[in-house]
Amino acid sequence: QSALTQPASVSGSLGQSITISCTGTSSDVGGYNYVSWYQQHPGKAPKLLVYDVNKWPSGVSNRFSGSKSGNTASLTISGLQADDEADYFCSSYAGSDTFIFGGGTQLTVL
Amino acid sequence: QVQLQESGPGLVKSSGSLSLTCAVSDYAIVSGCFWGWVRQPPGRGLEWIGTIYQDGSRYYNPSLKSRVTTSVDRSKNQFSLRLSFVTPADTAVYYCAKTMTAAGGHLGTFDYWGQGALVTVSS
């Protein structure tokens, strides 16, 4: 099992939209609709933003949206806010009762 | 609001065992979801360690499976992690977490997390 591939960093200006990719294989991202995204601020626990590719947990802003095409999942953040500056991690069910995370992406809001 | 709190030694010697307990509040551990462990080495990404169900069914990361043991204590509403034969590479913040549902595909989809416990393995 190798970690899902995410860009190390992305940046965007206040109010803009950005997209973070998460690339896996047909054995994980491409094979199941169990992709999730988490936001993590420094020193804090991760927060679930999106699950099952494109669903929102209660209380999460719809500025965060998920999608998937083939073996690549994506998280789009619209209307960037200063507080969106954080690390973002994807995760996916990987079959055989196992789970896998991405390496993480650091978002800088300019 | 579900609350989770990790507890255990913050310093462990190499070749020894790491043991952590996660106390769950305001949610019955037998209420039909999974309970899991995730770790994060300093400055690095998240790694799924394993997940356990109330009936004791266990699911582990293949890379850690030979060293990991998890358990559930329904009477105390808590669950535990034991990682054996630790090395400095096991130094990390260890999080306990609750999954969204008991669906198999959600055994790593965590909607509530503990604050994390830093465990340092000394050489």
Side-chain angles (χ1 to χ4, degrees):
Chain A
Q1 265 190 347
S2 298
L4 304 174
T5 300
Q6 297 181 233
S9 63
V10 298
S11 63
S13 300
L14 285 169
Q16 283 189 330
S17 296
I18 63 95
T19 297
I20 300 172
S21 62
C22 170
T23 302
T25 69
S26 59
S27 296
D28 39 64
V29 173
Y32 308 94
N33 288 323
Y34 290 119
V35 177
S36 300
W37 289 91
Y38 298 87
Q39 176 191 61
Q40 186 181 36
H41 286 108
K44 300 294 186 181
K47 173 186 176 181
L48 182 65
L49 296 176
V50 169
Y51 69 99
D52 291 359
V53 178
N54 57 12
K55 298 178 182 177
W56 292 289
S58 175
V60 172
S61 170
N62 59 10
R63 294 191 302 108
F64 300 94
S65 60
S67 62
K68 189 184 82 167
S69 177
N71 297 335
T72 298
S74 299
L75 174 72
T76 297
I77 308 174
S78 59
L80 272 178
Q81 300 178 359
D83 189 52
D84 295 335
E85 186 160 294
D87 293 328
Y88 291 83
F89 295 91
C90 62
S91 71
S92 174
Y93 180 70
S96 301
D97 296 329
T98 65
F99 231 78
I100 190 170
F101 281 95
T105 298
Q106 184 177 53
L107 169 63
T108 300
V109 179
L110 305 172
Chain B
Q1 182 82 341
V2 184
Q3 295 185 62
L4 299 95
Q5 179 67 60
E6 306 88 350
S7 61
L11 184 63
V12 181
K13 292 184 178 180
S14 278
S15 77
S17 294
L18 173 164
S19 293
L20 292 170
T21 296
C22 181
V24 181
S25 304
D26 298 321
Y27 195 92
I29 207 164
V30 295
S31 292
C33 63
F34 295 104
W35 304 92
W37 293 94
V38 175
R39 71 179 182 178
Q40 184 172 34
R44 298 179 61 185
L46 302 172
E47 180 179 32
W48 175 70
I49 299 173
T51 298
I52 188 168
Y53 191 57
Q54 55 177 310
D55 65 357
S57 299
R58 299 169 176 87
Y59 312 92
Y60 296 144
N61 185 325
S63 67
L64 298 170
K65 187 174 183 177
S66 64
R67 300 194 290 131
V68 174
T69 303
T70 56
S71 60
V72 168
D73 187 332
R74 290 186 290 271
S75 66
K76 294 183 178 179
N77 214 49
Q78 64 186 32
F79 59 105
S80 300
L81 167 72
R82 180 181 175 89
L83 181 66
S84 304
F85 306 108
V86 296
T87 71
D90 293 311
T91 293
V93 174
Y94 285 76
Y95 294 100
C96 62
K98 166 192 165 297
T99 69
M100 290 199 66
T101 74
H106 283 166
L107 58 84
T109 305
F110 301 110
D111 57 353
Y112 287 93
W113 297 65
Q115 65 184 23
L118 174 61
V119 179
T120 301
V121 179
S122 64
S123 55

